[in-house]
Amino acid sequence: MMSLYSSVGNRDKVDEILREIKENNVKLDNALLLDMAKAYLRVGSKREAREMLVRAEEVNDLASYEDLMRLYGEVGKSEDVYCIWNLYKKTRKQNNDGFLALNWISLES
């Protein structure tokens, strides 16, 4: 639903869904947090998107490092991209996906 609302630019509905999630103490997984960050980016809410990325980072899901780097790049936070890159390098061998995600900051700058 959040993707639908964000694609039509209805930020109020995105905020409402997030409020309901908080009120009901729903534990969010990394995929939903990243989806929420993407939804906020679609409606131009970089601050809220970054909040979701910080929460996603706290989950510490190694599989999401490339997505985190790309999304932090979209938010315009190169220092956060490099922070995730340093974690990424410690957890696995660097591959093309990792380097492409790292280069996202130069595309969005």
Side-chain angles (χ1 to χ4, degrees):
M1 288 303 297
M2 291 187 60
S3 293
L4 173 66
Y5 288 133
S6 68
S7 68
V8 296
N10 192 337
R11 180 178 171 191
D12 293 335
K13 284 293 189 179
V14 173
D15 289 339
E16 182 181 332
I17 291 171
L18 182 58
R19 182 187 51 75
E20 288 178 20
I21 287 170
K22 286 180 182 178
E23 284 177 0
N24 292 307
N25 295 319
V26 175
K27 181 166 172 39
L28 301 173
D29 65 3
N30 220 25
L32 180 54
L33 289 167
L34 293 175
D35 286 342
M36 290 170 62
K38 291 174 190 175
Y40 277 123
L41 282 170
R42 281 189 210 112
V43 295
S45 300
K46 289 186 175 185
R47 184 181 60 81
E48 288 87 354
R50 186 171 186 278
E51 289 175 15
M52 293 300 107
L53 294 174
V54 168
R55 289 178 65 183
E57 192 176 338
E58 291 170 356
V59 175
N60 200 20
D61 179 7
L62 304 179
S64 67
Y65 282 173
E66 288 100 352
D67 287 331
L68 280 169
M69 286 189 283
R70 283 186 195 98
L71 291 169
Y72 272 130
E74 284 188 52
V75 170
K77 295 294 185 180
S78 60
E79 63 273 10
D80 292 328
V81 175
Y82 286 116
C83 179
I84 299 299
W85 173 250
N86 289 328
L87 293 171
Y88 175 88
K89 290 189 306 186
K90 291 177 184 177
T91 60
R92 68 184 84 177
K93 181 180 176 186
Q94 293 82 39
N95 62 28
N96 195 43
D97 291 335
F99 286 112
L100 288 173
L102 179 63
N103 286 322
W104 194 259
I105 57 170
S106 62
L107 295 173
E108 290 298 315
S109 299

